[in-house]
């Protein structure tokens, strides 16, 4: 008899996501259901607002990928009102986006994902001198002395000895699926702590241009902060120097810590190069516009749709295509005026709550009916995976030189074929590859900005269409953003200066979507199917795959059998998710 | 209930309601006054009625307020001219050329205009307040004004004075916390808005009637206004 | 009907949008008081024009505004009583010449004169008019003239004037161009004026006449504030004019009569528009300006300073401001000097509006005249010229009262004296 | 078993006495005890530091108190406040988590998960009954029996009430937990509420902001850890050290406000010269927060410094506090033309009615 595992909460992006999975007698997952259990109705709240204000509301959809919704929002409004932003503003925005990637991915790798692979207590038997030798061999990173690693080891030991493990308590330590040698564990734990401190210095670009982080400030038509080399309250040489220093630190960390660590850890988990693939369909809206937001031909990350792993036939999706870009609510707690089976393009999208699930407290959802606050977005009625893997595939297929080189380098180092990227490990590697690409792009963008300033190109705001009196009576806009977690799109409709519809299709609605009108599962649901669990009471395998999508969540997994009884008292390995 | 909530109420629904009451009230006043009937003047004119109206407005708005001392009544009661002049000057400048108030109009009308630097507005606001105090003193000590002033006159004075003094305190961060003062300011503004159609403060609308009548009468008879 | 009710009826009738909008415009600033010669002379705050129209305002607010109705119902607003009417009757008939100076200083431009007239309408309807004034009104109704100028008296006086000054005064000439209507003040007290005007018109070759029917231009109904009586007296003049088929009516040196006939008659009696109505001052200006009569330049120079008194009804309310000055510049280029203030800003003589007809008002009337004395003394004039016989009556009476050594003279008389034949 | 004091805990985790005093100084600074200058963190022997005596008090407090238990719940949140905490500068999260606090439950921090973390929470609530700090992030939706936010099949309200029952104090971090925040913005589709609206029998400290300034959250927790009391609160339950004055009061652009010099548009001459952003909609004058004094990212900047008007994110209902680019003085609702028209029509209709009555009175001669 199939067991039903209930995993709740897994957050949406930052909040609350629930997964229910059916496991067969050989402990292999046969079906999985993904459900968002928290809703705020931001789309409803946005109706009737000033489009210029929308970014602030949308931004609060997520405090982790804190800029992405703002970008999608201002771009959708700029698209609707046909606003072109100045060159320098675009460069500044690209800097902010690139910083978001580096910050987010580093934190994800170390603080959300690493402990799926790294056994903290495993480092207690490590030899600090050997660890130092490994460090020196893989990277010029300065913290490489035996004494340093000895200190780290002692610190961990002190915590373990105190019996008060604090945030490290009760995890999967010692699980047989942990395969790293003690020295690599020690190396990773040391970098876990270093990354926690280093990430605080990775937000300076946001803080300088947006005033704070999380939730920096934006403005439709450009960026809020002016450039004036002779002002103490504008972008000047002092501010630029802080930015340059921050970029250098980020690049150094990626080059000397993140990438070497990935290459040091990955060889021990090559089995995950064949697990967790999921859909094989990928979507990107593209990112890093050159100067014109809408000229996709100059994007660094192309706008693309990949169907069935076919990298030879990549199409460019049109977000304005009413037939192909649709959201479905057949299994979502919403109702539509056109019936719940029909798909709606976001410009026509409706957000009307219709909760039909069990009254809380409940044990199980009615997965044959509606079971999630997430809608099910589909491209041409096909479910899509979005995220780093989609982006790296798009850049790789388009022949982006650095991406191709890095991908080949990683594959060579692991001795794996290209097909290995369609996997849990592939996602994790793709994240590291694009981090390196975007970190270098950040430096290039910084240099471009300096050149622009030298050339007198210092405008940061286009106010021609600022006043609502200059707007058309009716306008529709699409705003994109390749969020660290994947393709994000905002569709807005403006009538008489006010938003009359606003729909956000976010990466986690793609990846974490429930089934659609045809019963097709979303990416999470599909990727889990076929995953064997060594021990259902200690489902580390589920966490590794789910976290490879970077759902940005910490999950306490409640496992319940089909009768609703507790299967176990399991502490999952996912811990210390500072993010 | 906290002051932020009170402020939101005063700036939000209360202001909204006050504004609508003001609009409805003023329209009501206009309709009832006009509805009392206007008989046609069949008397042939000696001079130009239209010219008289134009002159009356030009003088009433652009000349007399700025050179009141040419009027022989100025000497007899300078306080009323000085107080009234300062008050109206301060009021107009603060209401129309003060940044904060321009932004109110901008949000209501959809367009804005340039404003004066804060220190200038500030001094004129102070002058306006002084003007109001002079007017009050004059009203109390002048025998005619004492005779013709009832509670309505003193209430009107108070309802105009409160927004001015709270506004002044607000910009100078005097007294209690900013949002408290801001709330009081907005409440007093709302009370004023509601009070205007109920009181003689509405004279700013009927001013245009009386000036026009005045100009027309004098123009008709060929007399300089 | 009680007096109060009759007054209220009249107030209600008077209060059109025209009156209401002006009552609404009042800020009660009290500035009008400073323009009022009676307030200036006495310091009595009740003489403030705004206070004189208080009952009209109260009636309007209580009748026509919700707030006023509520206040009255709650007892906050006082209802108008007979005592009030008596009190305001005193204020309006004793201490107001309806000179409209107050409207010149009102910052809102309120035409107080018309409001004050509205007050009189109410008081008249209530019968709250000073007895002296009522006697005159009744006399005018019955005898055709308030000064006892009956048909026969009129006949004799004109006869006498024609003889005395050897002028031809055409009477009841059918088809004449111009009907000249004298006031009984001139006929009875300033007959030289009649002779002077006759002389001038004859010299100009004007086809003019007087009418036995339209023999009295004075209109005590207008002083009283009674529309009915005003119309009655106006219609007598108009009928006379109609009978003779004249084209225009010339009002001689009488201020309020001119106001009533020129600026109000057409609104009550449409036939008034069949005639051109003009004041003798306008005619004089026309004749001198066009050269139809010629004057001896400087005829009045060398006899001390001459000044001109602007009458409220003829200059400020009648617009004949420039003509007297043009004439005086010919007659006395050296000795003519202006008082301050003058023209439309001039200070009232204090005797108009029927005040001079009310014995009880004498003290305030003389008090008000003291302002005029100051004005004239300031300019050092010994001769005061004017174009209104009512002003002239007030001047001659007060010159007597104050024992002044001034010469008071009508403009027409001066013109006649300086005629070059 | 006696509770381990913070000092003992620190010692075990390899923190030296000198580092410990250094930490005390940082805590003091974070708590707004401004008479403790940064020199106390300079590494001088403590007795030579100017903040010596205050440090001693704090150090003493840390030595004698057991580590403060904390339970952290997330409801309708965006994780922005948790995210912000990771950027806390003084004290840093690492310091707090490893040395000062014992975080018993945090969906994103706890190593333990699932049933075990639930059990850990239950255990902690019993073991530390009446002693633990409950930190709440995110608003609580109460519409439709709370179906809009469930964790493990239980509603947010259910979980909050359970955890609040034994809390010594409750800290609501961020505007959502404090005042309802974004979810409560009109039309408040899920009937979201702030904690203090739901829990009235316990002291609730609000640390609003979107997100809360991390030092305000950590500083408040540290205050309780050290002194065992909460800092003085304002009328909105906000701790005075961080919410005592407005952003406007401490703003670097304030002198230009006083001088009447304003930026009229982004990137205009005024903006470049650092003029006041009031005309661009800055809500600084009514916003109580420490943005302009503590600033963000180790004092690097804050929104107004970076050219954007203050959104007013530490005030209740700031989402509905007028457009973000509408002047602070602008009314919150602009009557639609239709509303103005309706008012005018109502006035006109009443006026016409009154006129009919008045005309009737005139015809009837209006007698008494």
């Amino acid at each position: 008899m199939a067991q039903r595992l209930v995993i709740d909460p897994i957050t949406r992006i930052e909040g609350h996501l629930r997964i229910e999975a059916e496991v067969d007698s050989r402990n292999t997952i046969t079906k999985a259901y993904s459900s968002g259990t928290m809703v705020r109705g931001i789309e409803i709240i946005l109706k009737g607002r000033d489009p210029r204000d929308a970014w602030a509301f949308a931004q609060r959809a997520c405090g982790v990928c804190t800029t992405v919704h703002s970008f999608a929002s201002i771009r959708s409004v700029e698209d609707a009102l046909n606003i072109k932003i100045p060159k320098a503003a675009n460069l500044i925005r690209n800097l902010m986006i690139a910083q978001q990637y580096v910050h987010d991915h580093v934190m994800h790798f170390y603080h959300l994902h690493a402990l799926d692979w790294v056994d903290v207590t495993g480092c207690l038997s490590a030899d600090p001198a050997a660890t130092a030798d490994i460090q020196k061999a893989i990277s010029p990173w300065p913290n490489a002395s035996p004494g340093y690693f000895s200190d780290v080891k002692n610190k961990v030991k002190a915590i373990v000895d105190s019996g008060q493990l604090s945030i490290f308590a009760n995890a999967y330590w010692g699980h047989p699926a942990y395969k790293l040698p003690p020295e690599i564990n020690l190396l990773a734990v040391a970098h876990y702590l270093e990354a926690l401190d280093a990430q605080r210095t990775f937000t300076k670009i946001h803080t300088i241009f947006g005033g704070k982080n999380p939730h920096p400030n934006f403005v439709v038509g450009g960026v809020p902060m002016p450039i004036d080399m002779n002002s103490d309250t504008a972008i000047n040489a002092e501010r630029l120097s802080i930015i340059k220093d921050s970029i250098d630190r980020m690049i150094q960390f990626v080059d000397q810590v993140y990438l070497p660590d990935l290459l040091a850890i990955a060889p021990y988990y090559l089995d995950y190069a064949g697990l967790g693939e999921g859909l094989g369909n990928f979507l990107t809206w593209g990112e890093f516009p050159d100067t014109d937001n809408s000229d996709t031909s100059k994007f660094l990350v192309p706008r693309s749709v990949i169907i069935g792993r076919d990298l030879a036939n990549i199409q460019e999706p049109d977000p304005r295509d009413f037939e192909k870009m649709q959201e479905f609510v057949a299994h979502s707690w919403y109702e539509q005026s056109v019936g719940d089976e029909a798909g709606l393009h976001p410009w026509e999208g409706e957000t009307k709550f219709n909760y039909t699930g069990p009254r809380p407290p409940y044990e199980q959802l009615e997965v044959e009916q509606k079971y999630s606050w997430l809608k099910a977005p589909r491209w041409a009625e096909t479910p899509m995976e979005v995220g780093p893997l989609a982006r790296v595939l798009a850049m790789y297929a388009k022949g982006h030189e650095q991406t191709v080189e890095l991908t080949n380098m990683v594959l060579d180092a692991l001795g794996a074929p290209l097909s290995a990227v369609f996997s849990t490990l592939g996602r994790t590697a793709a994240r590291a590859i694009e981090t390196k690409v975007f970190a270098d792009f950040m430096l290039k963008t910084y240099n471009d900005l300096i050149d622009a300033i030298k050339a007198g190109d210092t405008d940061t705001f286009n106010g021609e269409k600022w006043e609502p009196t200059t707007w058309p009576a009716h306008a529709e806009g699409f705003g994109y953003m390749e969020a660290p977690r994947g393709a994000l799109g905002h569709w807005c409709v403006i009538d008489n200066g006010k938003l009359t519809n606003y729909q956000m299709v976010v990466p986690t609605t793609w990846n974490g979507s429930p089934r659609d009108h045809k019963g097709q599962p979303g990416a999470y649901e599909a990727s889990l199917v076929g995953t064997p669990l060594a021990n259902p009471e200690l489902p580390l395998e589920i966490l590794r795959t789910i976290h490879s999508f970077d759902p940005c969540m910490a999950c306490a997994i409640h496992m319940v059998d089909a009768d609703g009884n507790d299967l176990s008292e399991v502490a999952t390995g996912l811990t210390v998710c500072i993010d | 209930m906290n002051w932020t909530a009170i402020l939101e109420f005063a700036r939000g629904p209360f202001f909204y309601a006050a504004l609508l009451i003001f609009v409805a009230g003023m329209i009501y006043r206009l309709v009832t006054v006009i509805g009392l009937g206007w008989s046609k003047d069949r008397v042939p004119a000696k001079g130009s009625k239209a010219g008289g109206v134009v002159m009356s407005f030009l003088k009433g708005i652009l000349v007399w307020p700025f050179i009141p001392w040419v009027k022989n009544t100025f000497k007899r009661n300078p306080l009323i001219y000085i107080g009234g002049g300062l008050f109206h000057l301060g009021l107009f400048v603060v209401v129309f050329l003060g940044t904060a108030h321009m932004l109110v109009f901008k949000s209501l009308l959809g367009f804005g205009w340039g404003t004066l630097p804060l220190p200038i507005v500030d001094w004129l606001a102070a002058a306006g307040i002084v003007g109001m105090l002079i007017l009050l003193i004059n009203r109390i000590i002048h025998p005619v004004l004492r005779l013709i002033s009832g509670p309505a006159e003193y209430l009107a004075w108070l309802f105009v004075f409160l927004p001015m003094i709270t506004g002044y305190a607000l910009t100078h961060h005097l007294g209690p916390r900013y949002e408290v003062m801001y709330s009081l300011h907005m409440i007093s503004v709302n009370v004023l808005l509601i009070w205007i159609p109920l009181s003689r403060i509405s004279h700013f609308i009927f001013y245009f009637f009386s000036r026009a009548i005045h100009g027309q009468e004098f123009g008709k008879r060929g007399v300089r206004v | 009907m009680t007096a109060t009710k009759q007054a209220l009826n009249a107030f209600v009738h008077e209060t059109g949008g025209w009156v209401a909008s002006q009552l609404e415009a009042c800020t009660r600033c009290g500035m009008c008081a400073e323009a009022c010669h009676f307030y200036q002379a006495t310091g009595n705050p009740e003489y403030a024009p705004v206070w004189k129209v208080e009952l009209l305002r109260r009636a309007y607010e209580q009748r026509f505004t919700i707030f006023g109705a509520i206040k009255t119902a709650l007892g906050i607003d006082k209802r108008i009583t007979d005592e009030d009417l008596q009190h305001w009757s005193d204020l309006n008939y004793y201490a107001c010449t309806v000179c409209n100076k107050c409207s010149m200083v009102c910052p809102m431009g309120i035409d107080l004169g018309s409001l004050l007239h509205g007050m009189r309408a109410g008081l008249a309807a209530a019968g709250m008019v000073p007895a002296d004034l009522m006697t005159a009104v009744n006399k005018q109704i019955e005898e055709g003239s308030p000064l006892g100028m009956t048909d026969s008296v009129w006949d004799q006086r004109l006869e006498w004037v024609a003889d005395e000054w050897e002028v031809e005064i055409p009477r009841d000439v059918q088809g004449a161009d111009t009907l000249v209507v004298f006031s009984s003040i001139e006929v009875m007290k300033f007959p030289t004026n009649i002779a002077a005007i006759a002389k001038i018109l004859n010299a100009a070759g004007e086809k003019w006449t007087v009418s036995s029917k339209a023999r009295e231009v004075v209109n005590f109904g207008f002083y009283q504030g009674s529309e009915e009586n005003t119309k009655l007296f106006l219609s007598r003049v108009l009928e006379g004019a109609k009978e003779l088929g004249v084209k225009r009516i010339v009002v001689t040196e009488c201020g309020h009569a001119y106001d009533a006939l020129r600026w109000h008659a057409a609104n009550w009696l449409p036939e008034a528009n069949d005639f051109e109505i003009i004041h003798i001052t306008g005619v004089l200006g026309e004749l001198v300006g066009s050269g139809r009569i010629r004057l001896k330049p400087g005829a009045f120079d060398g006899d001390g300073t001459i000044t001109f008194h602007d009458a409220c009804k003829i200059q400020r309310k009648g617009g004949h401001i420039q003509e007297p000055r043009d004439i005086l510049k010919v007659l006395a280029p050296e000795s003519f000097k202006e008082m301050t203030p003058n023209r439309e800003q001039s200070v009232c003589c204090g005797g108009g509006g029927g005040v001079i007809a009310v014995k009880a008002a004498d003290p305030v009337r003389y008090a008000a005249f003291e302002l005029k004395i100051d004005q004239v003394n300031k300019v050092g004039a010994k001769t005061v010229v004017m174009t209104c016989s009512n002003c002239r009556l007030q001047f001659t009476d007060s010159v007597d009262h104050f024992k002044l050594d001034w010469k008071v003279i009508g403009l027409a008389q001066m013109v006649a004296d300086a005629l070059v034949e | 078993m006696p509770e381990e004091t913070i000092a003992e805990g620190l010692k075990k985790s390899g923190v030296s006495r000198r580092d410990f005093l250094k930490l005390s100084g940082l805590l003091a600074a974070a708590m707004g005890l401004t008479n403790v200058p940064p020199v106390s963190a300079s590494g001088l022997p403590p007795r030579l530091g100017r903040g010596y005596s205050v440090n001693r008090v704090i150090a003493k407090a840390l030595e004698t108190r057991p580590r403060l238990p904390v339970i952290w719940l997330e409801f309708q949140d965006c994780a922005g406040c948790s995210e912000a905490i990771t950027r806390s500068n003084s004290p840093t999260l690492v310091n707090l988590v490893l040395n000062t606090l014992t975080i018993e439950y945090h969906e994103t921090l706890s190593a333990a998960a699932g049933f075990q973390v639930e059990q850990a929470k239950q255990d902690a609530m019993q073991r530390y009954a009446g002693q633990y700090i409950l930190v709440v992030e995110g608003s609580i939706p109460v519409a439709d029996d709370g179906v809009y936010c469930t964790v493990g099949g239980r509603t947010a309200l259910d979980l909050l009430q359970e955890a609040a029952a034994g809390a010594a104090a409750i800290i609501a971090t961020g505007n959502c937990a404090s005042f309802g925040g974004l979810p409560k913005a009109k039309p408040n589709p899920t009937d979201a509420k702030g904690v203090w609206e739901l829990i009235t029998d316990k002291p609730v400290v609000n640390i609003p902001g979107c997100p809360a300034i991390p030092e305000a959250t950590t500083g408040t927790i540290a205050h309780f850890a050290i002194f065992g009391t909460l800092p003085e609160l304002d009328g909105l339950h906000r701790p005075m050290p961080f919410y005592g004055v407005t952003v406007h009061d401490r703003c670097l652009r304030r002198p230009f406000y006083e001088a009447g010099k304003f930026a009229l548009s982004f990137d205009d001459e005024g903006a470049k010269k650092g003029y006041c952003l009031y005309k661009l909609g800055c809500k600084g004058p009514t916003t109580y927060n420490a943005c302009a004094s503590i600033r963000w990212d180790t004092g690097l900047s804050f929104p107004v410094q970076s050219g954007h008007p203050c959104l007013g994110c530490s005030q209740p209902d700031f989402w509905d506090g007028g457009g973000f680019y509408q002047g602070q003085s602008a009314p919150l609702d602009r009557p639609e033309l239709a509303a103005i028209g309706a008012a005018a029509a109502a006035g006109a209709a009443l006026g016409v009615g009154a006129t009919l009555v008045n005309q009737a009175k005139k015809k009837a001669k209006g007698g008494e």
Side-chain angles (χ1 to χ4, degrees), chain D residues 55-100:
Chain D
N55 280 3
R56 295 295 303 180
V57 171
I58 292 171
K60 183 103 181 139
L62 293 182
E63 278 173 311
T64 51
R65 277 181 188 283
R67 289 201 291 178
L68 180 67
V70 169
I71 292 173
W72 187 302
L73 299 179
E74 287 174 81
F75 300 120
Q76 281 180 305
D77 68 331
C78 73
C81 294
S82 285
E83 184 85 2
I85 293 286
T86 71
R87 328 269 208 265
S88 175
N89 178 51
S90 51
T92 64
L93 181 67
V94 177
N95 270 330
L96 272 180
V97 165
L98 296 182
N99 303 327
T100 313

Side-chain angles (χ1 to χ4, degrees), chain C residues 50-180:
Chain C
V50 60
W51 186 248
K52 287 177 191 154
V53 302
E54 173 73 2
L55 293 189
L56 184 64
R57 181 192 67 81
R58 246 195 246 169
Y60 161 71
E61 283 189 0
Q62 295 175 4
R63 296 283 101 184
F64 294 132
T65 71
I66 291 181
F67 217 45
I70 293 171
K71 281 200 293 185
T72 318
L74 294 176
I76 300 169
D77 240 17
K78 279 181 266 174
R79 284 168 198 278
I80 297 169
T81 63
D82 286 4
E83 290 71 33
D84 288 339
L85 290 169
Q86 188 54 58
H87 184 67
W88 262 271
S89 168
D90 293 351
L91 294 178
N92 275 274
Y93 291 107
Y94 292 5
C96 176
T97 52
V98 204
C99 76
N100 215 19
K101 174 77 186 278
C102 37
S103 85
M104 303 298 294
V105 305
C106 175
M108 306 302 290
I110 294 166
D111 193 45
L112 274 144
S114 55
L115 304 184
L116 287 159
H117 195 87
M119 272 301 292
R120 290 196 175 203
L123 295 168
M128 297 288 188
V129 182
D132 293 354
L133 202 57
M134 270 326 286
T135 312
V137 171
N138 291 331
K139 220 165 174 183
Q140 187 170 5
I141 294 172
E142 286 152 23
E143 301 175 0
S145 165
L147 293 193
M149 188 182 72
T150 56
D151 259 348
S152 57
V153 170
W154 182 75
D155 250 12
Q156 292 160 14
R157 291 293 284 184
L158 285 194
E159 200 81 36
W160 170 72
V161 168
D163 286 353
E164 180 74 22
W165 283 278
E166 294 174 352
V167 289
E168 193 194 333
I169 301 177
R171 284 203 233 171
D172 293 320
V173 178
Q174 277 290 334
D177 287 340
T178 301
L179 169 68
V180 178

Side-chain angles (χ1 to χ4, degrees), chain D:
Chain D
M1 178 181 105
E3 307 293 349
E4 184 182 49
T5 68
I6 295 171
E8 288 160 0
L10 288 170
K11 219 169 174 181
K12 269 188 197 162
S13 53
V15 177
S16 72
R17 171 125 194 107
R18 206 178 81 172
D19 285 348
F20 173 57
L21 285 162
K22 219 165 116 179
L23 172 70
S24 307
L26 285 169
L27 284 174
M31 286 181 300
L33 299 176
T34 43
N35 58 341
V36 182
V39 75
S40 60
S42 67
L44 285 172
R47 64 184 178 283
L48 297 179
R50 278 186 285 148
Y52 173 67
S53 56
V54 179
N55 280 3
R56 295 295 303 180
V57 171
I58 292 171
K60 183 103 181 139
L62 293 182
E63 278 173 311
T64 51
R65 277 181 188 283
R67 289 201 291 178
L68 180 67
V70 169
I71 292 173
W72 187 302
L73 299 179
E74 287 174 81
F75 300 120
Q76 281 180 305
D77 68 331
C78 73
C81 294
S82 285
E83 184 85 2
I85 293 286
T86 71
R87 328 269 208 265
S88 175
N89 178 51
S90 51
T92 64
L93 181 67
V94 177
N95 270 330
L96 272 180
V97 165
L98 296 182
N99 303 327
T100 313
L101 312 173
T102 163
I103 294 186
E104 297 291 322
Y105 180 91
H106 187 307
E107 280 186 37
T108 51
L109 283 178
S110 290
F115 177 82
Q116 279 195 334
V117 82
E118 284 299 306
Q119 194 56 53
K121 186 170 83 174
Q122 297 296 338
D123 289 349
M125 288 191 294
Q126 280 169 20
R127 186 177 172 199
Y128 298 115
Q131 296 170 45
Y132 61 86
I133 291 279
L134 172 65
V135 180
V136 182
E137 180 180 0
S139 54
I140 299 96
V142 300
D144 299 324
D145 305 331
V147 298
Y148 300 112
C149 179
T150 62
V151 179
R154 292 175 65 187
T155 66
L157 181 59
D158 183 9
L159 296 167
L160 172 67
Q161 284 168 337
E162 179 189 55
I170 301 171
I171 291 175
T173 183
N175 198 304
C176 298
S178 298
F179 306 130
L182 176 63
K184 196 188 176 190
K186 283 171 192 164
N188 191 2
T190 59
D191 199 2
K193 290 191 186 307
V195 173
W196 72 336
E197 293 177 83
L198 301 167
I199 305 296
T200 49
D201 58 348
K202 290 273 151 125
V204 176
V205 182
N206 288 326
I207 317 281
C210 194
I213 295 177
E215 286 79 9
T217 308
T218 55
T220 304
I221 295 172
H223 189 289
F224 193 85
I226 294 163
F227 297 112
T229 60
L230 292 167
E232 191 190 333
L233 306 178
D234 74 0
L236 292 170
H237 291 203
R238 299 178 295 195
M240 293 303 284
F242 308 105
Y243 299 90
V245 294
T246 65
V247 172
H248 190 57
D249 288 334
R250 295 264 188 270
C251 184
L252 78 171
R253 295 176 192 255
R254 176 71 181 268
F256 295 106
Y257 171 84
E258 301 296 343
K261 291 182 172 175
F262 298 98
L264 302 177
S265 169
F266 295 99
D267 200 27
D268 71 356
E269 272 313 297
K272 285 180 182 167
K273 287 180 179 157
Y275 289 174
C276 176
L277 302 177
Y278 184 81
K279 281 194 181 179
L280 285 172
C282 188
K283 307 294 185 284
T286 47
T287 303
Y288 287 83
N289 207 346
C291 280
S293 45
I294 293 182
R295 306 199 188 181
W296 293 76
D297 210 344
T298 329
L300 183 59
S301 189
F302 73 106
V304 177
Q305 183 175 353
S306 287
H308 197 283
C310 169
L311 302 181
C313 72
S314 59
Q315 294 300 116
D317 302 324
F318 77 101
W319 291 106
D320 299 314
F324 293 129
Y325 304 100
Q326 287 232 337
Q328 162 95 80
S329 55
L332 298 188
D333 299 301
R334 183 168 79 178
E336 298 293 324
L337 223 52
I340 293 277
L350 282 172
V352 167
T355 295
L356 293 175
V357 173
N358 286 349
Q359 290 291 356
K361 277 185 195 164
K362 282 189 87 166
K363 263 199 197 117
K365 289 269 176 187
E368 291 270 89

